[in-house]
Amino acid sequence: SVYQWETANFKSQSLKVESLDGSPLYFNVVREGLPVYGTEEAQSNRISMEVRYIDQAGNSLDPSALKVGTLVVAEVTLKRPSLSKDYENLALSQIFPSGWEITNNRVLAGGSTEDLPQLDYQDIRDDRVLSYYNGYRHSSMVIRVELTATYPGKWYLPPATVEAMYEGSVYANNKGQWVEVIVD
């Protein structure tokens, strides 16, 4: 049987499980949910990830307050410490705040992913970019996404995450933060 509680006060509930015939019982406790904005912690296990926000000249930008029209490059550097086959299928997920627009150069130039030959596939959507690559072939990878601070307001920039799709012990994420797009 599957028992499920959907309550914010889970600590006050209890469940007693007993085998009536003496045979062993096996169970899993699964806790799902999204952390409150800004409470997530940066983590890494078996892969390192550095996220920087820079201008087109490579100068660092503070994403917490950008003027409307500011061009931003989200640069993620990933490094693996070993040659393990666990790095064959890596997936980087970047979700961007609603006030930033993703620049899809493939659409603008009518191109493909040929400018990123190290990637196996990249899915560019309205609010996120999902990048997939074989980390076993590349000990270090830099993935850049061009963005424009477009809509004034205060928005949440969720953490970027990378994980090996078939090896749960390879993952990293940074900490999310509040950002603001301001009118000059």
Side-chain angles (χ1 to χ4, degrees):
S1 294
V2 175
Y3 295 95
Q4 182 176 354
W5 285 295
E6 292 184 19
T7 178
N9 195 10
F10 183 74
K11 292 179 184 177
S12 67
Q13 297 187 16
S14 64
L15 171 70
K16 181 178 180 179
V17 179
E18 181 179 319
S19 173
L20 298 177
D21 65 1
S23 60
L25 297 174
Y26 302 94
F27 62 94
N28 292 321
V29 176
V30 178
R31 189 174 137 193
E32 292 182 350
L34 297 172
V36 175
Y37 288 159
T39 63
E40 61 275 313
E41 295 295 325
Q43 302 177 32
S44 71
N45 192 51
R46 299 183 59 207
I47 191 168
S48 69
M49 178 176 71
E50 178 189 1
V51 180
R52 295 184 335 135
Y53 298 94
I54 57 177
D55 63 18
Q56 289 183 317
N59 303 312
S60 291
L61 288 175
D62 179 5
S64 63
L66 298 172
K67 292 180 183 174
V68 169
T70 302
L71 300 177
V72 181
V73 177
E75 180 183 80
V76 178
T77 303
L78 302 165
K79 294 180 183 175
R80 63 167 168 74
S82 75
L83 288 174
S84 169
K85 290 284 190 180
D86 294 343
Y87 298 97
E88 283 189 329
N89 298 287
L90 294 176
L92 172 66
S93 301
Q94 297 170 273
I95 301 174
F96 296 104
S98 299
W100 296 4
E101 279 191 351
I102 298 169
T103 303
N104 187 343
N105 289 324
R106 292 188 314 213
V107 171
L108 296 175
S112 66
T113 57
E114 290 177 10
D115 58 333
L116 297 169
Q118 68 274 21
L119 291 178
D120 294 325
Y121 181 74
Q122 190 174 54
D123 184 7
I124 301 174
R125 300 185 183 195
D126 288 341
D127 67 339
R128 67 194 66 209
V129 176
L130 310 171
S131 303
Y132 303 93
Y133 73 100
N134 185 334
Y136 183 72
R137 290 191 307 253
H138 307 282
S139 62
S140 179
M141 172 73 76
V142 177
I143 299 171
R144 292 179 185 89
V145 175
E146 293 181 16
L147 307 137
T148 304
T150 305
Y151 304 106
K154 189 171 183 179
W155 314 94
Y156 191 70
L157 171 60
T161 61
V162 64
E163 60 188 343
M165 293 190 295
Y166 305 108
E167 177 51 58
S169 68
V170 177
Y171 61 87
N173 65 274
N174 67 336
K175 187 173 172 60
Q177 69 180 77
W178 287 98
V179 298
E180 191 170 5
V181 177
I182 53 178
V183 178
D184 195 15

